[in-house]
Structures are given as structure tokens and as C-alpha cells.
């Protein structure tokens, strides 16, 4: 098996934790590397990637979206975190959006998404955005986001590792 590059994008550390957990069960890997240092030369060196992202407005974060757009014909395992429950309608929509993005020009090998802690100070600022405007956060939704604290937890990281092993068998 060729080397697999593990790349992460993070602001809270959640996606880095996922990348580390995936690296622990991925033989012949390099990384995890911060997405901000990945240029076209790095992309061209590898055929297979594990991309660890964080959810932003119902899809992957901007850096991950940009990286995926620069990839062509790659095999991609995508892993991510969001501030909502994994079985929520929001999580399902995120999965659809991110998987569609990957499949545009690449081969999706697998996708793991779990809850991740959010920066409550950062999201609390969205409470001031008027209702109906992009980025608005209701007080009720803010209270729901508090449930994300402490995630990903040990069970989610173990589940990620189990699913990563299954994804790797598909290569």
C-alpha cells in the first residue's frame, strides 16, 4: 500500500484529535499535517488521504473545501466533527454536503462524523446576529451547542479507529 497522507484543519483541536486517532491505526502514513501547510506539491505526492475537518455552516470548513477542490482523482477518507449529535438532521445534511464535495473529482472511501466541542465564546457572538441573517444563532440552539463540550470522547475516538480500519480495507 502506498503512503497515506493525514491532513487536519482545526480551530478547537477536535479535528487534530481525530487525525491522531486515525494515524494510530493507519499503517504507512505520514502526518498528521496542518492543512495550512499543504500545497499542490504535497497533493501531487499522494494518491490517498485522510482529511480531518470541522463543520462550518452545514459543510466542511473553508480550508478543507479549498483543499478538496485542488485534488483530482484522489482516494479520500474524510473524518470530521460538528457541534451537534451524530444522528441529528444537521449531521446528516453535513454528511451529504461533504460527501458530494469529495465525489466531485475524487473517490470517497469512507466518512466518519462525530460530535466535537465548540468554542462557546466564538459561537456566543452569533447570538447578536439578527434573526434571518446568515450566521444567526438562537438562544435555544446555543444551549444545545453546550452539549458538545467534552467531545470527541474516548468512545467516539475508538469508534473512529474501528471505522478507519474498515475504510482502509476498501483501498
Amino acid at each position: 500500500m502506498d503512503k497515506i497522507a493525514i491532513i487536519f484543519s482545526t480551530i478547537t483541536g477536535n479535528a487534530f484529535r481525530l487525525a491522531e486517532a486515525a494515524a494510530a491505526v493507519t499503517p504507512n502514513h505520514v502526518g498528521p499535517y496542518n492543512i495550512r501547510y499543504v500545497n499542490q506539491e504535497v497533493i501531487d505526492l499522494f494518491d490517498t488521504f485522510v482529511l480531518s475537518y470541522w463543520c462550518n455552516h452545514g459543510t466542511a470548513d473553508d480550508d478543507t473545501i479549498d483543499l478538496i477542490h485542488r485534488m483530482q482523482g484522489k482516494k479520500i477518507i474524510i473524518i470530521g466533527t460538528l457541534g451537534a449529535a451524530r444522528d441529528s438532521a444537521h449531521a446528516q445534511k453535513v454528511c451529504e454536503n461533504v460527501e458530494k464535495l469529495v465525489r466531485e473529482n475524487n473517490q470517497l472511501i469512507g466518512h466518519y462524523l462525530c460530535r466535537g466541542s465548540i468554542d462557546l465564546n466564538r459561537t456566543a457572538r452569533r447570538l447578536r446576529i439578527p434573526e434571518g441573517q446568515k450566521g444567526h444563532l438562537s438562544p435555544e440552539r446555543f444551549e444545545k451547542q453546550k452539549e458538545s463540550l467534552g467531545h470527541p470522547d474516548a468512545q467516539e475516538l475508538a469508534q473512529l479507529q474501528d471505522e478507519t480500519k474498515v475504510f482502509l480495507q476498501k483501498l
Side-chain angles (χ1 to χ4, degrees):
M1 181 183 335
D2 292 329
K3 287 206 179 280
I4 298 172
I6 301 177
I7 312 294
F8 68 92
S9 174
T10 193
I11 56 172
T12 61
N14 296 330
F16 176 69
R17 290 179 64 208
L18 292 184
E20 282 188 315
V25 297
T26 304
N28 207 25
H29 74 276
V30 296
Y33 296 121
N34 189 308
I35 198 167
R36 295 185 182 236
Y37 302 107
V38 176
N39 58 25
Q40 193 62 43
E41 182 179 346
V42 173
I43 294 169
D44 293 342
L45 283 174
F46 303 96
D47 292 324
T48 306
F49 292 82
V50 174
L51 301 181
S52 185
Y53 73 96
W54 55 280
C55 176
N56 189 29
H57 300 293
T59 189
D61 62 276
D62 292 341
D63 288 334
T64 299
I65 291 171
D66 177 63
L67 177 62
I68 292 170
H69 282 300
R70 290 186 288 141
M71 296 176 148
Q72 301 287 319
K74 304 298 181 179
K75 297 174 192 162
I76 299 175
I77 296 170
I78 192 119
I79 57 179
T81 66
L82 77 161
R86 182 180 185 183
D87 60 355
S88 68
H90 178 64
Q92 291 173 358
K93 189 65 176 168
V94 169
C95 285
E96 290 171 17
N97 292 338
V98 174
E99 290 173 13
K100 180 181 177 189
L101 175 68
V102 170
R103 285 187 176 117
E104 284 175 9
N105 297 305
N106 301 284
Q107 180 184 355
L108 176 67
I109 303 301
H111 186 183
Y112 176 81
L113 183 64
C114 70
R115 182 170 269 178
S117 293
I118 60 170
D119 179 349
L120 292 176
N121 292 325
R122 182 174 166 264
T123 59
R125 292 190 291 264
R126 294 178 43 214
L127 291 166
R128 296 190 296 258
I129 297 172
E131 188 172 347
Q133 289 188 11
K134 182 179 179 181
H136 168 73
L137 183 67
S138 70
E140 298 80 21
R141 187 110 183 263
F142 181 69
E143 289 302 313
K144 283 291 271 178
Q145 287 186 343
K146 289 180 181 178
E147 294 173 12
S148 74
L149 297 176
H151 291 273
D153 60 23
Q155 180 180 349
E156 290 160 325
L157 294 173
Q159 185 174 5
L160 163 69
Q161 289 180 325
D162 290 343
E163 291 193 31
T164 298
K165 290 175 189 175
V166 171
F167 299 153
L168 292 170
Q169 291 174 358
K170 296 179 182 180
L171 292 174

